[in-house]
Amino acid sequence: MYKVKVFVTLRESVLDPQGKAVTNSLHSLNYPEVADVRIGKYMELTIEKSDRDIDEVVNEICSKLLANPVIENYRYEVEEVVAQ
Amino acid sequence: MYKVKVFVTLRESVLDPQGKAVTNSLHSLNYPEVADVRIGKYMELTIEKSDRDIDEVVNEICSKLLANPVIENYRYEVEEVVAQ
């Protein structure tokens, strides 16, 4: 079994209005030192072992469903979990 | 300047309907090996140096604005960036 952590972020060139709103809120809350916030998604997948290569499966899943490759980048970490 | 990566996840005991929907979609897309998906948030903050301790600032920001401590956990990584 694998635990896969997927991080999806907006590409550098894409505006992030949600992040901008959070930055402004933090300034109102008296945190002027916060210069920028970018919001992304974080997903934890539990994947059973199968015939298919785990990297292949995760890359397919990310590009088909979890991330929009036009405006988003993704990266992931795979951790193998031994059943107890 | 600091780059802070914040990961916000739902507590283990809290149902995640969005994650369930993604799991079902992945089964429909012929990925039966995906047993579970939990959706969280990922945020990258750029914070200028100030008099306040960075850990104190980040903990305050997370508990006040970025995470709801009743249903969510958060963790973060701080990376110091040297201006070029």
Side-chain angles (χ1 to χ4, degrees), chain A residues 61-84:
Chain A
I61 286 175
C62 287
S63 53
K64 275 190 195 171
L65 194 73
L66 303 183
N68 176 351
V70 178
I71 56 166
E72 290 170 332
N73 291 319
Y74 67 85
R75 63 188 175 81
Y76 63 87
E77 291 167 9
V78 176
E79 187 190 328
E80 196 165 347
V81 180
V82 182
Q84 314 237 320

Side-chain angles (χ1 to χ4, degrees), chain B residues 9-59:
Chain B
T9 47
L10 278 175
R11 283 175 185 272
E12 209 60 57
S13 56
V14 178
L15 284 177
D16 181 0
Q18 199 187 352
K20 191 73 195 142
V22 172
T23 311
N24 292 342
S25 298
L26 287 169
H27 291 173
S28 309
L29 288 170
N30 201 23
Y31 297 101
E33 61 266 59
V34 178
D36 191 37
V37 179
R38 303 280 290 177
I39 310 268
K41 283 177 287 184
Y42 171 64
M43 283 156 284
E44 289 178 351
L45 284 75
T46 309
I47 303 182
E48 305 288 348
K49 278 196 183 177
S50 70
D51 306 341
R52 289 190 271 190
D53 179 58
I54 182 72
D55 284 307
E56 197 188 311
V57 169
V58 175
N59 276 309

